[in-house]
Amino acid sequence: MIENSDEQGSFYQAWQEFTDAGYFDQLDALAETPNRTAMLVFSPYGTFQYWIGSVLPEDADAPEGLQRLILPEGTAGIVTQPTNGFAPQIPVEMAFNKGLEVIEKAGFPLPSHIGQTDNPYFLESYLLTDGEISDVRYTLYINPDQMDGYDEFE
């Protein structure tokens, strides 16, 4: 939840705790491509949940102490590009806006209200090659029939 972010609007402390607990070592062993992923799950009311973890194969079990969220099938805008690092201390809003900018520049339409879609998920995944972060992949579910959201007052 946003109230768990630090004064800068990042979840840097949570990333540190997750890493220090050894969870990424466990997840890396299960991943096809080891990754560090932040996922935002939006609500219709402008709030969101913030998840830290890795994208794993569908049949992977979550290590003890972690939860597993199976993402639904759906259409998504996915853009992968080289990156020179990962900075979890960047405010979530800045990282999210950067991801949307990259997705839009790649030609994908952006929903007006992500929280008012059936699949309100945005993922920012940092992919590792030989133990080093090499690429960032932005993923946004896009339903062409839900681009405008809805108006509660209609």
Side-chain angles (χ1 to χ4, degrees), residues 40-79:
L40 289 99
V41 182
F42 291 91
S43 84
Y45 307 105
T47 60
F48 63 86
Q49 291 182 358
Y50 186 86
W51 290 59
I52 295 171
S54 295
V55 175
L56 302 175
E58 187 176 344
D59 61 350
D61 290 323
E64 189 168 329
L66 298 181
Q67 295 180 352
R68 176 179 164 198
L69 175 68
I70 298 175
L71 293 170
E73 290 187 27
T75 302
I78 302 173
V79 180

Side-chain angles (χ1 to χ4, degrees), residues 8-143:
Q8 303 299 320
S10 80
F11 288 86
Y12 181 68
Q13 183 64 37
W15 281 96
Q16 288 300 115
E17 292 170 7
F18 196 89
T19 301
D20 292 347
Y23 290 130
F24 280 120
D25 294 333
Q26 295 174 52
L27 294 172
D28 288 352
L30 300 172
E32 293 171 2
T33 301
N35 62 92
R36 308 292 180 259
T37 298
M39 180 176 67
L40 289 99
V41 182
F42 291 91
S43 84
Y45 307 105
T47 60
F48 63 86
Q49 291 182 358
Y50 186 86
W51 290 59
I52 295 171
S54 295
V55 175
L56 302 175
E58 187 176 344
D59 61 350
D61 290 323
E64 189 168 329
L66 298 181
Q67 295 180 352
R68 176 179 164 198
L69 175 68
I70 298 175
L71 293 170
E73 290 187 27
T75 302
I78 302 173
V79 180
T80 303
Q81 61 185 27
T83 189
N84 57 3
F86 170 55
Q89 65 271 28
I90 292 175
V92 172
E93 185 176 347
M94 286 178 62
F96 173 64
N97 287 335
K98 170 69 174 171
L100 290 183
E101 178 183 323
V102 169
I103 289 169
E104 187 174 41
K105 281 185 178 178
F108 294 103
L110 302 180
S112 298
H113 306 283
I114 295 170
Q116 295 178 1
T117 64
D118 291 339
N119 298 313
Y121 308 108
F122 170 81
L123 290 83
E124 178 183 41
S125 300
Y126 288 85
L127 311 178
L128 280 67
T129 303
D130 299 325
E132 299 293 325
I133 292 174
S134 58
D135 297 294
V136 59
R137 175 176 297 146
Y138 299 106
T139 304
L140 176 68
Y141 279 78
I142 300 169
N143 183 337

